[in-house]
Amino acid sequence: DAGVTQSPTHLIKTRGQQVTLRCSPKSGHDTVSWYQQALGQGPQFIFQYYEEEERQRGNFPDRFSGHQFPNYSSELNVNALLLGDSALYLCASSLIAGELFFGEGSRLTVL
Amino acid sequence: SQQGEEDPQALSIQEGENATMNCSYKTSINNLQWYRQNSGRGLVHLILIRSNEREKHSGRLRVTLDTSKKSSSLLITASRAADTASYFCATEGSARQLTFGSGTQLTVLP
């Protein structure tokens, strides 16, 4: 049983560009949450998707958007990248009221 | 912003010793969870303690929760070199999202 898978594992972008990160949830899970973890900090909640809708959102600007597909996989999009967007982006899946399982993350570097 | 603060920020001990990490938080919670992270990789769920529980055990892990003081502690007994990692507490409130602390970096020396 595959766990949560994220792609790409590493990527480098320049300021102003756009990036899309992908997440496949653990089999049987219907909820996907995204977190941003800056170096040396704890993860910060970006948003959560359930039934293809954004259910909750953390304190992140509109440059951060997402999508959930009918197969429960999800994408995180970040527009107009800033240097401060450099971080590890973590995807977590769960049932709507269950334990979170995290992927290994996508390391984004913005130059 | 971070909900909780872990203390200490870094901890270095010898193999076989016990490691204690503390976490304080600010708002009311439904539960508090502890996670482990190896060197910038994904988070692994260790243990969850509900707001109406005071202590919970899982293997070599012991977690306490004091809601009156808004604090929790994680004790790892008989530590091993493989326990070297960052440990985070995370609180879950009425909304189904986790708010993490800033973490404790534990180093267990062989």
Side-chain angles (χ1 to χ4, degrees):
Chain A
D1 176 29
V4 180
T5 57
Q6 292 187 242
S7 63
T9 54
H10 296 83
L11 69 166
I12 299 173
K13 294 284 187 178
T14 57
R15 281 179 297 175
Q17 285 189 314
Q18 179 263 344
V19 68
T20 297
L21 308 177
R22 296 175 177 82
C23 173
S24 293
K26 183 177 170 64
S27 178
H29 285 180
D30 57 9
T31 304
V32 173
S33 302
W34 286 92
Y35 288 80
Q36 180 196 64
Q37 186 178 21
L39 197 62
Q41 299 295 316
Q44 293 200 21
F45 176 75
I46 304 174
F47 42 53
Q48 180 189 79
Y49 278 84
Y50 172 68
E51 292 186 337
E52 302 179 49
E53 289 189 12
E54 183 183 296
R55 297 291 176 167
Q56 296 182 62
R57 188 179 184 92
N59 188 25
F60 279 81
D62 292 345
R63 298 186 298 108
F64 289 76
S65 64
H67 189 78
Q68 185 179 36
F69 299 94
N71 66 352
Y72 307 120
S73 67
S74 177
E75 288 183 350
L76 164 65
N77 300 291
V78 187
N79 294 322
L81 285 167
L82 304 173
L83 295 179
D85 295 332
S86 294
L88 181 68
Y89 288 85
L90 294 162
C91 170
S93 75
S94 66
L95 295 173
I96 189 59
E99 175 186 337
L100 292 183
F101 289 79
F102 282 83
E104 293 295 320
S106 294
R107 172 78 61 189
L108 171 65
T109 302
V110 182
L111 302 176
Chain B
S1 62
Q2 308 287 160
Q3 151 84 302
E5 293 293 330
E6 276 95 338
D7 170 50
Q9 289 185 321
L11 177 62
S12 184
I13 59 173
Q14 295 293 135
E15 228 174 5
E17 293 181 337
N18 295 341
T20 299
M21 289 161 265
N22 303 297
C23 167
S24 60
Y25 57 92
K26 299 173 184 174
T27 61
S28 61
I29 62 172
N30 287 337
N31 64 66
L32 185 143
Q33 303 175 38
W34 285 90
Y35 285 82
R36 168 197 168 117
Q37 184 178 41
N38 285 351
S39 190
R41 300 190 64 186
L43 294 159
V44 176
H45 182 267
L46 295 176
I47 195 167
L48 179 152
I49 186 166
R50 301 190 189 284
S51 60
N52 61 352
E53 297 176 310
R54 292 296 167 259
E55 187 171 315
K56 202 163 183 179
H57 297 254
S58 176
R60 295 185 294 115
L61 305 180
R62 172 178 169 254
V63 170
T64 62
L65 178 64
D66 186 336
T67 52
S68 66
K69 295 181 179 178
K70 291 187 169 57
S71 67
S72 173
S73 68
L74 171 67
L75 169 68
I76 304 174
T77 60
S79 62
R80 306 164 182 167
D83 294 329
T84 294
S86 292
Y87 291 82
F88 294 91
C89 69
T91 55
E92 182 178 328
S94 54
R96 273 281 297 166
Q97 65 187 60
L98 293 179
T99 305
F100 286 84
S102 51
T104 292
Q105 173 61 51
L106 173 66
T107 302
V108 181
L109 302 169

